[in-house]
Amino acid sequence: MSGNVGMEALIPIVNKVQDAFTQVGMNSVIDLPQIAVVGGQSAGKSSVLENCVGKDFLPRGSGIVTRRPLILQLNYVEKGEWGEFLHAKGKKFTDFDEIRREIEAETDRMTGSNKGISDIPINLRVFSPHVLNLTLIDLPGITKVPIGDQPPDIEFQIRGMIMQFISKPSCLILAVTPANSDLANSDALKLAKEVDPEGIRTIGVLTKLDLMDDGTDAKEILDNKVLPLRRGYIGVVNRSQRDIEGKKDIKQAQAAERKYFLSHPAYRHLAERAGTAFLQKTLNQQLTNHIREVLPSLRSKLEQQLTSMESEVKEFKNLGMSGGREDKSAKPRMMMQMVNRVTHDFEEMIEGGGNHVDTTSLSGGAKINTIFHFRFPGYLNEGRLDEKELRKEIGFAIRNIHGVRSGLFTPDAAFEMTVKRQIETLAPPSMKCIQQVSTELHEVIMKCIDKIKNYPRLQAEIDNLVSGYLRECETHCREQIQQLVEVELSYINTNHDDFIGFNSTAKDESVKDVQNAGSESQPGRESKSKLIKKGWLSTTNVGLTKGLSREYWFVLYTDALAWFKDESERDQKYYLTIDGVKMKSSEEEEEGGGLFGHRKFKIQLFHPNARYLFREYRELTLYAKDEDDMEDWRASFLRAGIYTHRSQMDMEDLEDEDHKPKFERLFEDPQLERQVEVIRTYVNSYMAIVRKTFKDIVPKHIMCLMVNKMKVFIEIELMPSLYGAGNPAELMEESEDEVRRRQELLGMYDACKDALKTISEVTAKTSSTPLPAPVHSNNHHSSRPPPDLPNRPTGRSAPNAGATRPAPAPPGGGSRRPPPPSRPARPN
């Protein structure tokens, strides 16, 4: 018995893995050992393949006949002859003429009937007692002239398809060349030379030996003395066109081939290592040996593939969905597992942690934290009035309260009315905060249920239930925040410990402040500079050519904005005090792309009185990388007291006919001016207390009434709600694609396991024939003498011994008989 008996079991397993990978579109994941048949259109490739099978089954005709790769898997069986196509599962083709018609139909289905080509292979498995286990890939014949509707670059398309297969190190190359043409011009050998320059993977096949001119032969080529290959050349004699048209039996043709080699004086000495039978044995042995050579890398790749499928296969098997019949409790169990996965993912995205952390952007709990502590404080400042507007509002309130009288005392009602108007401005930013958190929670939900998209009905039902509950939570939270505003409006607590008018010391200090009117800092400014935000922004100012932009590292404090060359903050470009600075933010389309894409998010800083902001610039234009980044910076600027500039229309009611601010005329009365300053001080003090309360209590309400309730609903109430919504079996219905994908995945997993098991067995039991040593040409047919070629023979018995001895033809070189095949050779 052959030493490769164990390897014989491996070829069908490799074919099985190939089929499994092809079915799921993963045939390129693992490069399995195969033999690619390469040659020109009239080289005789089809005849060689048909001789190996012993049947006529390939399309014939003029021009390009093979227009899709044909992966031909030959499988030895003791009885019967039939074929099976991977695209026609379960159907046995016992008529080989029908196999030919199926190949033609499947080719036309993909490429059309006008000689178009496609690189999508056709998989055909042939079972016969007259074959040895082999995997051959029949590739389109090399052509140079397009015909029919073929594109002008058909030569390059075919070349690219061939290279796609033969460039893989795991692929052996069967280079078919007609003997009645110049070997040096062989297209097949040229392509093989490009990807296999040392000839390690190339097996030469010479056809049409019987059609050579009288007085010529291919003896020296078959003896591997001309353009030598490590694996040598094998000569075959195919049926002639007349034989094919006359339906000459292939078995009779092989008997005639045998007789030809035995009777020809030039080939008589190598008759035992020539012909179709020897070619088939050699290819079987070469393929099994080649598999042995690539066994370590093949095992590693199969193990990696198996590991990648392990978790999903285990999940299917645990749910009782691994076999043909499914467990009745599988779908409810699987639904529970899906809901648990959604619950876990939602909890993980809100609370943080886990193995899959987003490193590109903020999301989930981190995004909500940013909304609470960076954006919301800025939104609260957005609605507050600047000093001039506040004084104007207080002045009108005082005068309207006094009516026709001139008031001697500061009216408390003016303070309360102004404070209440300021409290009402806190509702919109609070609602905006609720809306942004609700949007982020919905985004988190969508990301969680995206992982169960293979079950569309379950995904839709979860989306419907959770989104509906989120809307309820949002509505309830809005009502509670609105009630909080109403609570603040219901009672103005001037006895608060932190209120400036509550104790005598604070009151005395406020009187001194009033006496030094205008000395107070603007609302929103803090007496001591504090850091608010750092980050990258780009700007088109700062001495750059118009239209260009550059990134700087910006640092925002409560009283200034500084920017540096980079985040090390060593090379400071400018330090800008922000007292009295206003801002505008907008989004605009950018022509031709730009630094951050086609949409630009812009923030402009400037002085409303049009004076210079810094150096010779009246404004500073900043660009954020996206909308979220712009929103964060905008909220930070608001926290620093840089408010949105009011439009010209908003300012019209503040000016009189002489374009002089109306409220300045109010201060022509010194007593009114003193009253306005007292109330302004009290308003700022009281509103600081209220804003501090809102900054603390609004996020707490949102967490309690929205975030935490959502977590509880998903964890506890979602599963009962799903059972109430419908039958779990209906909710867990899969698409046909998902069912097919699961079956194919399980099939591929089992095929990989079988292959690894077989590999483990054959590794210890098999041996391989060593690859022949490198050879060099040493006769007058060579175009160039090889290096290190000795000038004298070394002996009669070995005229080309050592490095110069030609490699024997495939195993069994010289006059020795080849080793017996691992399976019985088919009869002649």
Side-chain angles (χ1 to χ4, degrees):
M1 182 167 290
S2 169
N4 275 335
V5 63
M7 294 300 290
E8 277 296 308
L10 183 59
I11 294 178
I13 291 294
V14 170
N15 290 341
K16 186 178 178 182
V17 176
Q18 175 70 58
D19 290 347
F21 285 179
T22 302
Q23 286 175 319
V24 294
M26 298 177 64
N27 50 316
S28 61
V29 172
I30 295 179
D31 297 332
L32 299 172
Q34 295 167 327
I35 301 176
V37 185
V38 182
Q41 285 189 28
S42 58
K45 293 190 300 86
S46 297
S47 295
V48 170
L49 291 173
E50 288 181 335
N51 286 348
C52 288
V53 175
K55 293 285 185 179
D56 290 316
F57 69 97
L58 291 175
R60 293 185 178 275
S62 60
I64 303 176
V65 178
T66 304
R67 294 183 285 126
R68 289 178 62 183
L70 174 66
I71 299 179
L72 177 62
Q73 299 174 1
L74 305 182
N75 299 269
Y76 172 83
V77 293
E78 293 184 357
K79 293 182 181 180
E81 287 183 293
W82 73 91
E84 295 178 358
F85 287 95
L86 196 60
H87 64 265
K89 277 187 174 181
K91 183 177 180 180
K92 285 188 177 181
F93 293 79
T94 55
D95 183 351
F96 280 75
D97 288 334
E98 187 181 357
I99 290 178
R100 178 190 298 111
R101 291 190 291 269
E102 181 66 21
I103 293 174
E104 292 172 344
E106 185 65 13
T107 300
D108 290 343
R109 185 184 67 81
M110 185 63 64
T111 64
S113 58
N114 288 314
K115 306 298 182 182
I117 67 171
S118 169
D119 61 355
I120 300 175
I122 298 174
N123 288 67
L124 171 62
R125 304 177 71 180
V126 174
F127 300 83
S128 171
H130 307 302
V131 301
L132 295 180
N133 291 333
L134 273 179
T135 302
L136 301 167
I137 306 174
D138 185 21
L139 297 171
I142 303 166
T143 185
K144 299 184 183 299
V145 180
I147 60 174
D149 291 342
Q150 291 176 347
D153 64 343
I154 187 67
E155 176 186 358
F156 300 101
Q157 287 190 27
I158 293 177
R159 174 187 171 86
M161 185 191 302
I162 294 173
M163 297 297 282
Q164 177 183 337
F165 286 89
I166 67 175
S167 60
K168 299 175 181 177
S170 61
C171 181
L172 294 179
I173 305 168
L174 193 66
V176 180
T177 303
N180 59 350
S181 65
D182 188 357
L183 190 67
N185 294 325
S186 168
D187 293 327
L189 289 175
K190 285 181 180 178
L191 288 177
K193 188 76 173 177
E194 290 185 30
V195 297
D196 183 30
E198 297 182 8
I200 296 176
R201 297 187 285 116
T202 305
I203 305 169
V205 175
L206 279 186
T207 61
K208 303 187 179 181
L209 292 168
D210 56 329
L211 299 181
M212 296 183 70
D213 295 337
D214 292 340
T216 62
D217 59 61
K219 177 179 178 298
E220 292 193 346
I221 297 175
L222 293 176
D223 282 337
N224 212 20
K225 296 178 180 179
V226 180
L227 298 178
L229 299 172
R230 294 278 291 274
R231 298 178 186 267
Y233 293 86
I234 299 174
V236 296
V237 176
N238 298 324
R239 292 176 300 167
S240 66
Q241 188 62 35
R242 179 181 298 178
D243 293 336
I244 295 172
E245 293 173 355
K247 301 292 183 180
K248 183 176 182 179
D249 185 69
I250 290 181
K251 295 179 181 179
Q252 296 177 5
Q254 290 181 355
E257 176 190 47
R258 173 75 173 167
K259 182 179 179 180
Y260 173 82
F261 282 113
L262 287 172
S263 61
H264 198 290
Y267 307 134
R268 190 178 299 134
H269 70 288
L270 49 78
E272 297 301 327
R273 49 188 178 90
T276 301
F278 178 75
L279 174 64
Q280 189 177 172
K281 297 172 188 176
T282 300
L283 293 181
N284 170 265
Q285 191 174 54
Q286 294 275 8
L287 181 59
T288 54
N289 289 340
H290 186 57
I291 292 175
R292 176 59 185 258
E293 292 167 7
V294 301
L295 214 54
S297 62
L298 177 60
R299 174 191 291 165
S300 176
K301 290 178 181 178
L302 285 170
E303 286 174 345
Q304 292 175 10
Q305 188 67 24
L306 202 64
T307 301
S308 68
M309 298 184 289
E310 194 82 51
S311 60
E312 196 168 2
V313 170
K314 184 177 180 181
E315 178 181 311
F316 287 141
K317 291 186 175 181
N318 288 340
L319 292 170
M321 304 178 70
S322 59
R325 292 180 297 177
E326 297 179 0
D327 186 355
K328 291 183 178 180
S329 63
K331 288 188 175 180
R333 265 203 326 270
M334 195 166 192
M335 187 174 78
M336 183 177 296
Q337 187 171 7
M338 295 295 179
V339 172
N340 289 340
R341 179 186 297 175
V342 171
T343 302
H344 174 268
D345 291 347
F346 185 83
E347 175 82 15
E348 199 171 74
M349 291 192 70
I350 296 299
E351 300 297 335
N355 298 324
H356 305 286
V357 177
D358 189 351
T359 58
T360 58
S361 62
L362 292 179
S363 61
K367 182 73 169 289
I368 292 173
N369 179 277
T370 299
I371 294 171
F372 284 162
H373 301 298
F374 288 92
R375 294 186 184 179
F376 182 53
Y379 297 154
L380 290 177
N381 284 342
E382 188 173 11
R384 67 195 301 176
L385 302 175
D386 64 15
E387 291 298 289
K388 292 181 179 180
E389 292 172 332
L390 181 59
R391 286 187 175 95
K392 165 240 160 184
E393 188 173 297
I394 295 172
F396 282 137
I398 293 174
R399 294 195 64 177
N400 286 328
I401 289 172
H402 287 319
V404 297
R405 298 180 299 277
S406 297
L408 299 176
F409 303 101
T410 304
D412 291 346
F415 163 75
E416 188 164 324
M417 291 172 57
T418 305
V419 164
K420 286 184 176 181
R421 288 199 57 180
Q422 290 288 291
I423 291 174
E424 288 173 349
T425 65
L426 301 181
S430 300
M431 301 303 172
K432 188 175 183 179
C433 183
I434 294 173
Q435 177 60 46
Q436 290 191 353
V437 172
S438 176
T439 300
E440 184 57 31
L441 287 173
H442 190 261
E443 288 292 324
V444 171
I445 293 166
M446 290 297 100
K447 289 178 182 178
C448 293
I449 65 175
D450 183 64
K451 297 178 181 178
I452 59 173
K453 60 185 176 184
N454 294 326
Y455 305 91
R457 294 191 62 177
L458 177 65
Q459 183 186 40
E461 191 61 38
I462 292 178
D463 182 19
N464 180 52
L465 291 171
V466 177
S467 297
Y469 188 75
L470 176 60
R471 287 191 294 272
E472 293 178 9
C473 292
E474 181 181 347
T475 300
H476 182 52
C477 189
R478 287 178 180 273
E479 292 171 353
Q480 291 297 309
I481 296 301
Q482 186 60 48
Q483 188 174 16
L484 177 63
V485 174
E486 293 172 2
V487 167
E488 289 288 347
L489 291 172
S490 66
Y491 180 63
I492 306 302
N493 181 20
T494 55
N495 288 332
H496 195 284
D497 291 343
D498 296 332
F499 181 53
I500 198 171
F502 178 62
N503 57 72
S504 59
T505 304
K507 190 177 295 186
D508 292 340
E509 291 177 354
S510 69
V511 173
K512 293 179 181 178
D513 290 337
V514 171
Q515 292 173 347
N516 298 282
S519 63
E520 298 84 9
S521 59
Q522 189 177 345
R525 308 287 188 207
E526 300 185 32
S527 57
K528 185 178 180 181
S529 180
K530 294 181 180 179
L531 175 66
I532 295 180
K533 182 175 175 60
K534 296 181 179 182
W536 289 100
L537 290 169
S538 66
T539 178
T540 55
N541 300 77
V542 200
L544 295 174
T545 304
K546 185 177 180 181
L548 297 179
S549 59
R550 178 181 296 172
E551 280 190 297
Y552 290 99
W553 180 258
F554 282 79
V555 180
L556 176 63
Y557 302 95
T558 51
D559 60 354
L561 176 66
W563 56 93
F564 303 83
K565 181 180 179 181
D566 53 44
E567 59 264 40
S568 65
E569 300 181 15
R570 295 175 183 171
D571 185 3
Q572 180 173 298
K573 296 301 180 181
Y574 203 81
Y575 185 88
L576 170 67
T577 57
I578 56 177
D579 186 39
V581 174
K582 300 292 183 180
M583 74 167 169
K584 290 189 297 185
S585 59
S586 63
E587 177 184 335
E588 63 184 33
E589 294 293 327
E590 179 183 18
E591 296 182 2
L595 186 63
F596 291 113
H598 292 284
R599 298 168 66 198
K600 298 203 304 186
F601 301 92
K602 181 172 64 175
I603 298 175
Q604 292 172 290
L605 305 181
F606 57 93
H607 280 296
N609 56 7
R611 66 185 176 91
Y612 288 112
L613 183 66
F614 71 101
R615 295 179 184 165
E616 71 275 18
Y617 300 101
R618 298 185 184 277
E619 67 178 30
L620 176 62
T621 303
L622 305 172
Y623 295 97
K625 63 181 179 181
D626 52 38
E627 188 173 9
D628 277 347
D629 195 34
M630 181 183 75
E631 197 66 28
D632 288 343
W633 276 104
R634 183 170 169 273
S636 298
F637 284 132
L638 288 169
R639 290 178 64 196
I642 302 177
Y643 303 123
T644 303
H645 180 58
R646 298 173 71 94
S647 65
Q648 184 64 31
M649 292 181 62
D650 295 331
M651 296 299 292
E652 286 179 357
D653 65 335
L654 303 181
E655 298 180 348
D656 59 15
E657 295 177 356
D658 299 327
H659 300 287
K660 183 176 181 180
K662 294 179 180 179
F663 65 86
E664 288 188 5
R665 293 190 180 276
L666 299 177
F667 293 160
E668 293 176 358
D669 181 354
Q671 184 169 327
L672 178 59
E673 180 180 354
R674 182 186 65 78
Q675 293 176 351
V676 167
E677 288 304 317
V678 169
I679 292 180
R680 183 193 65 79
T681 302
Y682 289 162
V683 168
N684 285 340
S685 175
Y686 193 83
M687 286 307 300
I689 297 170
V690 177
R691 286 192 178 89
K692 184 177 180 180
T693 300
F694 269 66
K695 281 199 295 186
D696 179 64
I697 202 67
V698 170
K700 288 180 177 178
H701 272 70
I702 295 174
M703 282 299 298
C704 176
L705 301 177
M706 291 178 63
V707 180
N708 290 342
K709 278 195 171 184
M710 286 295 297
K711 288 164 58 179
V712 171
F713 176 80
I714 293 174
E715 182 177 359
I716 298 176
E717 300 180 35
L718 179 57
M719 180 62 77
S721 300
L722 286 171
Y723 271 97
N727 189 337
E730 295 177 356
L731 291 176
M732 291 303 296
E733 283 185 5
E734 304 168 271
S735 63
E736 293 181 1
D737 291 341
E738 176 62 16
V739 174
R740 184 167 53 252
R741 186 192 71 84
R742 185 179 72 248
Q743 293 173 346
E744 290 171 350
L745 176 71
L746 293 170
M748 185 166 59
Y749 179 81
D750 291 339
C752 287
K753 282 184 64 177
D754 291 344
L756 281 171
K757 180 180 179 182
T758 304
I759 287 174
S760 299
E761 293 174 356
V762 302
T763 299
K765 297 179 180 179
T766 65
S767 60
S768 61
T769 304
L771 188 66
V775 296
H776 300 291
S777 177
N778 63 341
N779 61 78
H780 64 279
H781 291 281
S782 301
S783 59
R784 180 182 307 172
D788 304 324
L789 184 66
N791 294 322
R792 62 184 186 279
T794 58
R796 288 182 61 187
S797 62
N800 295 297
T804 65
R805 185 182 62 169
S815 60
R816 293 175 298 158
R817 296 180 65 86
S822 50
R823 293 193 185 277
R826 61 178 179 79
N828 290 327

